[in-house]
Amino acid sequence: MAATFNASHVEYDGHAFNETLMHEFNYTIWDNGTLSNSSFCYLVFGRYEAYMLPNGSVINGTKCEAPVRPIHIRGSLGIAFGALYGLMIILALACLNKHGRMYLPAEKNFRLVSRRWPWYWMICAATCGIVSGMTSIDVDRNYLQGTALILQNIFYYVMLPAMLASIWEMTRHWGSMCERIMADEDPFRFHHDDRRAKIEFYTPLVFYLFGFLTFFLSVLRSWTSIPKAYANYAWAEKSSTDPRFRASSIFALLAFFVINFSVGVTWHYYPTVGRRIPPKIPICLCFIFVRIVYNIAVAWDYDIGPLKFDAPETYIYILGYLPVFGCMLAMVVGGWQQTNDDLMIKKLRRQRELDTDRDLGIRRGKELMQMPKTGV
């Protein structure tokens, strides 16, 4: 705390302030070397000078949120993951270009945008990852936490529903592709008013309801109390583990269950092709489950989450950022290996034509016609 300098001034770390002015404008000098009231906060230690004028205004002051510290582990890892997410955007655009092209006439039940949505959501999640990772630089550098910690966590929490939506669209499109392959073989195999069609109509509505609630409860909220742990730890802890964060984490888990249910629906109704689940689906589900479990843990334990500015970086990046990157990497590798849907349908049609020709002996007839004629 400040010590008495003379009859009218107090002193802190070699800086003198008029005590009457401080009381008049509600300023207090705190043990962490800051001069603040309910509206303003300035650094008053070491080389940071602040002069208070008779009207209460402060000149030559450095705000408490100023980036005056060096970058530590949190900021360094944030830069690394921001760069990795940037790479994922480039690869996602390449996959979008590959799988978003049309090689067959558009079909009413299998629209082109269906195969593009996974990449749209993935690009959204990666963009949030970049912003969140880069703002962690100022979380390390700021003397007292403020906007930087809020921004990092806002985009961090947006990543989860965006990545869940990307995985959902990937699994839903896989089911749609299974239906398309079987319907292409027999257009009258499926009815549009049966139980299967109703399940596939309502399941996306349920998923996006849970996804929206995950976003609404964790992001669209008041964030002002989150960075105030330096002033009131109990208040910051209570705000970071309030019912909104807890409910949001539970809704993310319910959305995860809906994705698994969708995989089961595809497995059940499209047995000839749906039993071969692409490896990227279970890989993504395992990665995102880790992130969801971590979100649930953070909603009850403030000390291990990103909302605490000095929380262990191991928890934040290995359990928070790395699983989302793992999902993106699995999707990109799978997208790179898989063929465009239209090209796959054309290949299957050609194979059926060859099989039909072989059954009818047409190929054998062509071979006999191409044999050279010999004279007697």
Side-chain angles (χ1 to χ4, degrees):
M1 294 293 290
T4 301
F5 182 71
N6 56 31
S8 60
H9 287 70
V10 294
E11 180 265 341
Y12 180 88
D13 197 24
H15 307 291
F17 298 91
N18 188 299
E19 190 172 12
T20 303
L21 282 176
M22 288 178 57
H23 285 231
E24 182 179 353
F25 295 99
N26 234 5
Y27 276 102
T28 303
I29 297 179
W30 303 95
D31 289 337
N32 59 1
T34 60
L35 171 71
S36 66
N37 59 11
S38 58
S39 303
F40 304 102
C41 181
Y42 302 96
L43 305 182
V44 291
F45 63 89
R47 61 188 179 90
Y48 301 105
E49 297 276 357
Y51 300 98
M52 187 178 299
L53 301 179
N55 62 0
S57 59
V58 176
I59 61 173
N60 197 41
T62 301
K63 293 292 185 68
C64 293
E65 294 183 18
V68 299
R69 301 183 182 217
I71 298 176
H72 293 294
I73 298 176
R74 184 165 182 157
S76 301
L77 290 176
I79 294 172
F81 274 96
L84 291 175
Y85 287 132
L87 177 62
M88 289 298 104
I89 289 180
I90 297 173
L91 297 177
L93 289 172
C95 290
L96 176 62
N97 179 64
K98 175 182 178 180
H99 293 279
R101 290 178 177 269
M102 287 184 62
Y103 296 94
L104 291 172
E107 300 181 48
K108 181 179 179 181
N109 295 329
F110 307 103
R111 300 183 182 278
L112 181 64
V113 72
S114 170
R115 65 183 94 155
R116 292 178 174 177
W117 270 117
W119 308 109
Y120 291 156
W121 280 116
M122 177 178 162
I123 291 171
C124 174
T127 303
C128 293
I130 293 173
V131 178
S132 179
M134 293 305 174
T135 52
S136 67
I137 298 172
D138 282 340
V139 174
D140 268 353
R141 299 195 63 209
N142 288 358
Y143 186 75
L144 294 182
Q145 297 305 318
T147 305
L149 185 66
I150 292 174
L151 285 177
Q152 183 190 12
N153 282 282
I154 285 177
F155 287 98
Y156 170 84
Y157 276 94
V158 174
M159 283 171 62
L160 179 58
M163 198 66 235
L164 277 170
S166 180
I167 297 173
W168 159 258
E169 290 294 341
M170 176 185 65
T171 56
R172 186 207 55 75
H173 173 66
W174 167 65
S176 176
M177 186 60 185
C178 292
E179 178 187 4
R180 184 180 181 187
I181 292 173
M182 296 179 66
D184 195 66
E185 297 175 355
D186 180 7
F188 303 101
R189 175 175 292 176
F190 301 113
H191 301 281
H192 297 292
D193 56 352
D194 57 1
R195 183 182 180 187
R196 174 199 59 85
K198 293 179 180 178
I199 291 176
E200 292 184 345
F201 175 81
Y202 287 109
T203 304
L205 301 180
V206 175
F207 169 81
Y208 278 109
L209 172 63
F210 291 148
F212 172 75
L213 289 173
T214 301
F215 169 79
F216 177 78
L217 292 172
S218 62
V219 178
L220 302 181
R221 52 168 296 129
S222 173
W223 289 85
T224 54
S225 60
I226 302 296
K228 303 301 182 183
Y230 64 86
N232 192 329
Y233 179 88
W235 185 27
E237 181 182 21
K238 183 179 180 180
S239 300
S240 302
T241 57
D242 65 6
R244 288 179 67 97
F245 277 121
R246 294 180 178 182
S248 170
S249 63
I250 298 301
F251 280 122
L253 183 63
L254 294 176
F256 173 79
F257 288 148
V258 174
I259 296 175
N260 284 270
F261 174 75
S262 177
V263 174
V265 169
T266 302
W267 174 282
H268 176 73
Y269 284 105
Y270 312 114
T272 57
V273 289
R275 301 296 167 87
R276 297 186 297 273
I277 301 177
K280 63 180 181 180
I281 292 180
I283 292 174
C284 287
L285 290 175
C286 290
F287 274 122
I288 203 65
F289 183 68
V290 173
R291 169 64 192 269
I292 292 172
V293 171
Y294 176 59
N295 260 40
I296 295 175
V298 167
W300 270 265
D301 189 349
Y302 171 64
D303 292 329
I304 64 172
L307 294 169
K308 186 181 181 184
F309 74 94
D310 58 348
E313 293 82 4
T314 306
Y315 292 117
I316 297 173
Y317 287 99
I318 293 181
L319 300 179
Y321 287 85
L322 186 60
V324 176
F325 174 75
C327 294
M328 295 178 183
L329 185 61
M331 289 181 62
V332 165
V333 172
W336 190 260
Q337 292 177 342
Q338 289 178 334
T339 309
N340 179 282
D341 292 358
D342 288 351
L343 295 179
M344 183 184 296
I345 293 295
K346 291 176 70 174
K347 181 180 178 181
L348 292 173
R349 288 176 180 176
R350 180 57 181 161
Q351 185 62 47
R352 287 198 302 272
E353 291 174 0
L354 293 175
D355 293 342
T356 303
D357 290 348
R358 189 179 298 111
D359 292 341
L360 296 176
I362 297 177
R363 183 175 182 181
R364 180 60 180 167
K366 292 180 179 179
E367 292 174 353
L368 292 174
M369 292 177 63
Q370 294 174 359
M371 290 178 61
K373 296 181 180 180
T374 57
V376 178

